[in-house]
Amino acid sequence: DVIGCMSQANVDYVLKQNNFIESNKMEIFPNAIKPIQHIENKKKDIEILAKYDIPTDSTVFIYGGNLGRPQGIDFLMEVIAEFNKVDDACLIIVGDGTEYKKLEHFVQRKNLKNAKIFNRLPKEEYDQLMLNADVGLIFLDHRFTIPNFPSRLLTYLENAIPVLAATDTSTDLKNILKDSQSGFWCESGDLESFIGYAKQLSSDKDLRKEMGQNGRKYLEKYYDVTYTVEKLLRHL
């Protein structure tokens, strides 16, 4: 039998915790999707942006997913409070979870014009927002010691937008972003680095396009469901 793990970090962790497992019985079996068709040089939908009160000339940073303690909400609130330092940018947060109300009250209390939070949206509406996003965000609490693979990474790569991630050091997400040249990573809690990367992405459209295209190519090579099915069939 072969044990499948989502990433190299998962493989290493399982082997370390279970020394009776032979390394040749382990294989990376990643999350996979059937990618949507990618449209080059797509124009932003003015009506969708207006519906959510998003400035049409801003660089849209989006986070979509769970809003709970595993996401390191305290650091996310630090990011929100400092995001006004990123010129011509808008931070969009879409999701639900145990910390949603805490985050919603924080955003409302700060009354920031460049940060908006929405409760979980219907998939069709969220997909429309994603089509108009420029940068995808990932947050994980810095205290994690077990490797995680955030599934929303694939959504960002699928839509050919660069990724800005702030996570623990156990995940190999940082290695994936480096190898694919599709985004930036910093440790959760490193606010200076996060805001610095956000400024760079907001101000450099060519960099965003290059990283987005790199990510899309990486997705098609490693996370297309056709690739994973072929890998699975080799073991049947």
Side-chain angles (χ1 to χ4, degrees):
D1 293 336
V2 175
I3 301 174
C5 292
M6 290 185 291
S7 69
Q8 186 59 50
N10 294 126
V11 171
D12 295 340
Y13 181 83
V14 171
L15 290 174
K16 183 178 180 180
Q17 299 297 320
N18 303 274
N19 57 15
F20 61 89
I21 297 178
E22 298 176 22
S23 60
N24 62 358
K25 296 294 185 181
M26 299 288 296
E27 184 169 358
I28 297 175
F29 190 78
N31 284 350
I33 60 174
K34 184 177 181 180
I36 60 173
Q37 181 183 1
H38 174 53
I39 302 174
E40 291 283 351
N41 302 316
K42 63 179 181 294
K43 294 183 178 180
K44 290 194 174 183
D45 189 325
I46 304 301
E47 292 185 6
I48 291 295
L49 295 177
K51 178 179 180 179
Y52 295 99
D53 194 26
I54 300 171
T56 56
D57 58 348
S58 65
T59 302
V60 179
F61 291 72
I62 190 167
Y63 171 85
N66 188 50
L67 294 169
R69 295 181 66 183
Q71 281 65 52
I73 296 299
D74 288 341
F75 178 65
L76 177 51
M77 290 193 296
E78 291 181 26
V79 168
I80 292 170
E82 293 290 307
F83 209 72
N84 62 326
K85 294 181 179 179
V86 185
D87 294 335
D88 303 319
C90 188
L91 174 59
I92 307 299
I93 302 164
V94 183
D96 200 1
T98 58
E99 304 299 293
Y100 175 82
K101 285 297 182 182
K102 176 181 179 180
L103 196 58
E104 182 184 44
H105 291 158
F106 180 81
V107 173
Q108 291 173 348
R109 188 170 69 252
K110 289 291 184 179
N111 193 29
L112 302 172
K113 294 182 179 180
N114 66 337
K116 303 179 186 298
I117 183 169
F118 303 101
N119 209 330
R120 189 179 300 276
L121 297 174
K123 184 179 184 304
E124 183 178 347
E125 290 187 40
Y126 177 70
D127 289 345
Q128 287 297 314
L129 267 181
M130 274 301 312
L131 289 173
N132 290 274
D134 298 295
V135 180
L137 303 177
I138 293 175
F139 295 96
L140 287 175
D141 193 283
H142 69 95
R143 293 169 292 183
F144 271 115
T145 57
I146 299 175
N148 287 279
F149 185 91
S151 59
R152 65 187 57 85
L153 169 67
L154 302 188
T155 301
Y156 301 150
L157 300 184
E158 180 182 32
N159 282 276
I161 60 174
V163 180
L164 176 52
T167 74
D168 57 276
T169 57
S170 297
T171 178
D172 55 1
L173 178 61
K174 57 185 180 296
N175 299 325
I176 293 172
L177 294 179
K178 181 179 179 180
D179 292 344
S180 62
Q181 299 183 39
S182 61
F184 293 119
W185 174 90
C186 68
E187 185 173 0
S188 180
D190 187 351
L191 184 61
E192 182 178 355
S193 293
F194 188 95
I195 295 298
Y197 288 138
K199 288 180 177 179
Q200 191 173 347
L201 287 166
S202 182
S203 63
D204 195 335
K205 185 176 181 179
D206 291 337
L207 176 64
R208 295 199 305 269
K209 182 176 180 179
E210 180 183 355
M211 285 187 160
Q213 290 175 340
N214 289 343
R216 176 70 191 206
K217 291 175 183 176
Y218 196 82
L219 172 84
E220 293 172 354
K221 184 175 181 179
Y222 294 108
Y223 300 118
D224 189 311
V225 68
T226 304
Y227 165 77
T228 53
V229 167
E230 290 174 353
K231 178 175 283 193
L232 180 62
L233 289 174
R234 289 201 297 269
H235 297 288
L236 296 180

